[in-house]
Amino acid sequence: MNLKLLFFCLFLAVLFIPAELKRKKHKHRGNGDGHGHGMRDKKKIRYEDIIKDFFFEIIDRAADDDDDDNEQGNSDWLFELQEPEGQCNPNPCFHNGICKEKGKRKFKCECPKPFKGKKCEKGRKVCRKGRCGRGECVLTSTEPFYQCKCKEPFQPPDCRTISLCEPNPCRNGGQCIRDGDDFDCQCPPEFRGRFCHVGPDDCFVDDGESYRGNVSETDDGDECLYWNSHFILENGADPFSSYEDSDGLGHHNFCRNPDGDAMPWCFFRRGRKLLWDYCDMTPCPEPTGVVPTNILPIEPQPPSDAPQSTTKPTAPEKPTEPSKPTEPSKPTEPSKPTEPSKPTESSKPSAAPTDTPLFPTNSTPTQQFKTCGMAQSKTAITRIFGGLKVARGAIPWQVSLQVKPRNSLQPYNHICGGVLIASCWVLTAGHCIDQNKDMQVVVGSLSLDYIEPTAQTVEVERAIVHENYRETPTAVYNDIALLKLKGTDGFCANETQFVKTACLPDTQLPDGMECTISGWGVTETSDYGSNHLLKANVLLISQEKCSEPKVYGSVVDNSMFCAGYLQGGVDSCQGDSGGPLTCKPNNTAVVYGLVSWGDQCGRKNKPGVYTQVTLFLDWIKSKTGGAFP
Ligand code: ARG
């Protein structure tokens, strides 16, 4: 994960930046007649908010050019600590850098502009703080590799000077009205938005995947960030390469749905946090036999240097902090997990169902699960720091293990992750098993609080915990179990685009390899875990390093291994146990580890510890009796 180390440095850096964004409540909308268009009364950013926002501080700093170089020094050191030297396979260079072997042990990355650094991981120096005055710095692919998007009434090129209504920032015939040191756009009746940039037909159809309109504010009135904002990249998301459908994305800040969510959404910023939320928009009325006019036929005008809109941050009642991730410092004792009080069903809508047939493989049981380790969906979605929202079908072997008191009528609760390795067999951690509980697994689902149409729920017939499973106050040994699912004739889970098996590994993999962990476990922002399946990439850490005194010392044995980042930050956590750590040695995902334990989560020198699946291959085969290819 190219950006993680930078996050870490950035994280340290921002610790020293004081000031939270102060929010002011304002009563009126720029539009003047927003109510008439069904929009809620929201706050908008005014001149005074902009100048108070530490993010837009005017900084004169010619001398900070070496800031990044210092960070770089740190991260190189970390890279060396954790990764094998001298290998171009897998390619250690980020951003399509070309790797050249130098001697046996070294490599050099040739970086495409504007990326730099040992692994081309640095690319954001062009947008250093203060570069754009009172404006957002966005990255471009041509010299000088950035552009400033000024907050009205600040003006290009560097957003440091003010000009009210001159030129007129209001679009579509909107009239610019001065109001002290601020302005409002008075829009023609059918237009809305701070700049009258949202037209009357600006609505979305279905899940809004095809939406190409101009709405650029969230449900709560936060202004969307440009998709190419350096702030997004800096926080680990690269919309242009993360999403399957980046067609609608561009150098604009309009709401889009590139990742199969329920409706268009966008990133926004609160203080120094990158957040996302659904947008303030409405579905188009049902077509009445007429071709809908709701989808604008052309990509909206590239924004002028004036911002598309500058709505204000809103009341803090509804935190829109994304459900996410892993930079947590939550405890993760290796003890039996306690049941989190997260019901597995609720009325919160999740992403809209897909059009793809859910059971496309009209096949007989024997034709099923013939190949393992191949996900159909290519990417995960980065929306937040340190964790990635998983795209539908991207981790189709992920299982949610759920339990309830034996024979009770209580609902099942998620307790652990698991990995589907055959139609009727799931691998999980030994410490996840409580033989006194009823157990079921859910496969094919991303959400825990909503039964998705792609989900399959299968009862567990029996759980087999490894005979040498052992727990001590500091570690868990041989932490592996098999769940035999209920079904007939070896047919339990049904293979679909969203339900597939992971392969078993057949060899040891090299230290430093990047692998993927996933789960619904505890995150920095949610003590009960995430409702949406999340993933993160981690590096395999050598046994030697893992058993150093400052890491886990002599408690580590060969039934486990460490993976993660010694500098902390990205990790699995409580509730992820039993879930997969998969690696792709030959483009095929093998379940190389199972989330097992760790000393809290995301701490420095305390990476996650995973069950070493390769050690248990014979055990798995003997218990399942060759249930899979
Ligand atoms: N024992 C935890 C569970 O039951 C998993 C902990 C993983 N901890 C870590 N730091 N990686 O879910």
Side-chain angles (χ1 to χ4, degrees), residues 325-389:
T326 48
E327 175 225 349
S329 48
K330 303 280 159 31
T332 61
E333 317 72 54
S335 50
K336 297 269 178 198
T338 51
E339 240 172 272
S341 56
K342 189 199 297 176
T344 53
E345 208 186 309
S346 92
S347 52
K348 175 178 174 280
S350 165
T354 149
D355 286 343
T356 323
L358 303 184
F359 301 98
T361 53
N362 222 357
S363 47
T364 65
T366 52
Q367 291 170 314
Q368 288 226 321
F369 298 112
K370 278 244 162 89
T371 45
C372 57
M374 299 303 256
Q376 234 149 291
S377 160
K378 65 172 187 195
T379 48
I381 301 160
T382 316
R383 286 201 193 171
I384 44 250
F385 174 82
L388 308 161
K389 245 175 123 179

Side-chain angles (χ1 to χ4, degrees), residues 332-334 337 416 431 571-577 595-602 607-610:
T332 61
E333 317 72 54
C416 269
H431 79 262
D571 197 3
S572 46
C573 204
Q574 211 72 24
D576 292 325
S577 278
V595 179
S596 177
W597 61 277
D599 181 352
Q600 303 182 29
C601 305
V609 184
Y610 298 81

Side-chain angles (χ1 to χ4, degrees), residues 557-623:
D557 77 354
N558 69 347
S559 75
M560 61 189 84
F561 66 89
C562 285
Y565 300 85
L566 292 176
Q567 73 270 31
V570 178
D571 197 3
S572 46
C573 204
Q574 211 72 24
D576 292 325
S577 278
L581 177 146
T582 51
C583 312
K584 283 186 154 186
N586 299 310
N587 246 345
T588 299
V590 301
V591 46
Y592 195 66
L594 303 170
V595 179
S596 177
W597 61 277
D599 181 352
Q600 303 182 29
C601 305
R603 288 181 62 210
K604 184 170 178 214
N605 286 326
K606 302 294 169 194
V609 184
Y610 298 81
T611 310
Q612 178 89 63
V613 175
T614 47
L615 188 75
F616 299 102
L617 294 175
D618 290 343
W619 180 80
I620 295 169
K621 285 175 186 151
S622 72
K623 299 294 172 192

